[in-house]
Amino acid sequence: MRLGIIGLPNSGKTTIFNALTRSNRPTGAVSSGKMEVFTSVVPVPDARIDKLTAMYKPKKTIYATIVYTDIAGLEKSIGASGMSGELRNHLQQSEGFIHVVRAFEDDAVPHPDITIDPARDVSTIDTEFLLADLITVERRIEKLNEEMKRNKNLNKALAEAELELMARFKQQLEDLQPLRDLDITDEEEKMIRGYGLLSLKPMLIVFNAGETPVDAENLLSDYHHKHTAVLSLQGKIEAEIAQLEGEDQAMFLAEYNISEPGASRVIRASYDLIHVQSFFTVGEDEVRAWTIPVGATAQESAGTIHTDLSRGFIRAEVTPYAELIAAGSEAEVKKLGKMRLEGKEYIVKDGDIMHVRANV
Ligand SMILES: Nc1nc2c(ncn2[C@@H]2O[C@H](COP(=O)(O)OP(=O)(O)OP(=O)(O)O)[C@@H](O)[C@H]2O)c(=O)[nH]1
Ligand SMILES: [Mg+2]
């Protein structure tokens, strides 16, 4: 899963990136306004993987991972005047966005719009995405119309279906609503896959609260969109705590009354938002978590391990995590008959332990 951290200059993107990834990237004037991108791959903590590791004592344990990209360079008016190809590329590659919104007061840190107004800033970035998408959609409509006239070999039905979809998108954007609010069929999804429409991607809004915690819901009471979640965290404090280890970390979290580190709250929110879940593979060599979309079949899930396993898929041996833990061992689970054989179309559940049988 790849998440892009975006927001206005000086909102605290790099600070929050540091908190989420335990990195130590320079913040403040160093980066201000420049197009600059940091990437970090973070293991997803999962107590179930720890228990499976204790049970199997494998040579290797591999957690699921999230890729965070700190994408600086978004500014007011950039959507209409055109983004650089590089910025657009980074935005398009993200599966979803973490929009960092400044909610902290600090006279030493200038705000591009002078005052602190989180709801206004949410709408500033939203508007940039809507404008950028509107340009993409209008260009596509133009191009499709031209091709309808010129290209005799064109699949007309398909082009018309896309034109219809683009007209719906255009209307939505002109109404100043994000595309992620629309219900889109799988077929429509396929038509637009390469376009990188920004307001279509899931959005996690993170209020950067500084020294005093804020109530995220209160800051954004009248904001109802699909595939959207809101939370707040104390960026600077969390970034500092993230640099600490074990007991020191626990002590400071307690001191600031933070019950769960922002890093794990953001991961949980992102999993829910992007509709992904984990399944596990276990053995003496390796205990490993894999990330799959909610609703993925056994065959599709096998494909995340290796394309050969999907192609040659025969059956999957499936044990729910809770059954294995309750039984205490794999041998016991088998004896109790809790290990099931499932076919291609089986819908994998969060926490399933899978062994894929395939012809490779
Ligand atoms: N007081 C306070 N300052 C903060 C907080 N979070 C970030 N800052 C400060 O705000 C300034 C900007 O933070 P960055 O994390 O660099 O912001 P950014 O969004 O990455 O900025 P650009 O990359 O320039 O767009 C730095 O001086 C931070 O120390 C916070 O929670 N409280
Ligand atoms: Mg930055």
Side-chain angles (χ1 to χ4, degrees), residues 54-359:
M55 186 181 281
Y56 284 89
K57 303 189 175 52
K59 293 193 193 103
K60 259 193 309 188
T61 295
I62 303 178
Y63 293 85
T65 54
I66 292 193
V67 181
Y68 288 112
T69 324
D70 172 7
I71 309 171
L74 265 182
E75 278 173 80
K76 208 163 151 180
S77 312
I78 210 172
S81 61
M83 299 176 185
S84 72
E86 194 191 358
L87 175 57
R88 179 170 275 279
N89 256 341
H90 283 294
L91 295 173
Q92 291 185 345
Q93 278 167 20
S94 307
E95 276 166 75
F97 295 116
I98 295 177
H99 177 185
V100 175
V101 179
R102 175 165 174 180
F104 65 89
E105 305 270 354
D106 187 340
D107 292 339
V109 181
H111 189 296
D113 268 327
I114 317 294
T115 53
I116 307 302
D117 183 346
R120 174 202 61 203
D121 292 354
V122 168
S123 129
T124 300
I125 293 290
D126 278 356
T127 306
E128 296 312 318
F129 278 12
L130 297 182
L131 290 175
D133 283 354
L134 192 57
I135 292 173
T136 307
V137 166
E138 281 173 343
R139 283 202 186 131
R140 189 62 201 152
I141 291 176
E142 226 170 89
K143 182 129 189 271
L144 279 167
N145 278 327
E146 234 167 72
E147 277 188 30
M148 297 265 271
K149 266 188 251 154
R150 278 213 211 124
N151 186 350
K152 292 200 181 67
N153 299 324
L154 188 74
N155 180 336
K156 239 185 150 184
L158 202 65
E160 268 164 11
E162 194 186 327
L163 262 179
E164 207 173 297
L165 180 65
M166 287 299 132
R168 248 173 80 209
F169 281 9
K170 187 164 183 259
Q171 186 59 56
Q172 177 81 354
L173 295 166
E174 282 171 349
D175 291 342
L176 300 181
Q177 299 301 318
L179 296 177
R180 61 184 185 278
D181 274 350
L182 296 175
D183 295 318
I184 291 167
T185 65
D186 289 348
E187 274 146 48
E188 290 170 333
E189 214 278 317
K190 266 183 215 142
M191 286 185 212
I192 55 169
R193 196 164 282 170
Y195 302 168
L197 292 159
L198 302 175
S199 73
L200 195 59
K201 296 179 193 272
M203 177 78 86
L204 173 62
I205 293 171
V206 173
F207 290 109
N208 182 14
E211 283 68 27
T212 338
V214 297
D215 181 355
E217 300 293 332
N218 266 346
L219 287 180
L220 209 59
S221 48
D222 219 9
Y223 190 83
H224 307 289
H225 295 294
K226 294 182 185 165
H227 310 291
T228 304
V230 181
L231 59 81
S232 72
L233 54 84
Q234 296 171 266
K236 205 169 175 180
I237 293 172
E238 294 250 14
E240 279 160 19
I241 295 178
Q243 297 290 323
L244 305 172
E245 302 286 341
E247 263 180 42
D248 285 343
Q249 195 177 61
M251 204 176 77
F252 275 95
L253 286 170
E255 189 179 322
Y256 285 103
N257 234 337
I258 299 171
S259 56
E260 187 188 5
S264 43
R265 282 168 57 216
V266 167
I267 287 176
R268 256 195 303 118
S270 308
Y271 263 62
D272 289 349
L273 189 64
I274 311 227
H275 292 297
V276 288
Q277 60 186 14
S278 300
F279 76 90
F280 309 123
T281 50
V282 296
E284 282 168 13
D285 276 341
E286 186 183 281
V287 163
R288 180 164 185 167
W290 304 85
T291 310
I292 49 164
V294 173
T297 63
Q299 188 174 25
E300 287 161 351
S301 304
T304 62
I305 304 174
H306 202 289
T307 43
D308 287 350
L309 287 184
S310 167
R311 214 175 302 135
F313 186 96
I314 304 168
R315 285 194 182 290
E317 291 168 5
V318 178
T319 314
Y321 169 81
E323 299 282 6
L324 176 62
I325 295 301
S329 73
E330 197 173 300
E332 199 60 27
V333 147
K334 279 184 182 158
K335 229 193 280 169
L336 293 169
K338 297 287 188 190
M339 183 183 281
R340 309 181 312 256
L341 276 181
E342 299 283 1
K344 283 181 188 177
E345 298 302 325
Y346 168 70
I347 304 291
V348 176
K349 311 280 181 306
D350 186 47
D352 274 353
I353 294 157
M354 275 223 290
H355 179 71
V356 177
R357 292 191 199 162
N359 239 329

Side-chain angles (χ1 to χ4, degrees), residues 20-40:
L20 298 181
T21 64
R22 308 191 71 182
S23 318
N24 207 352
R25 296 293 179 180
T27 59
V30 194
S31 48
S32 245
K34 266 190 296 173
M35 168 76 221
E36 191 175 34
V37 173
F38 303 127
T39 296
S40 177

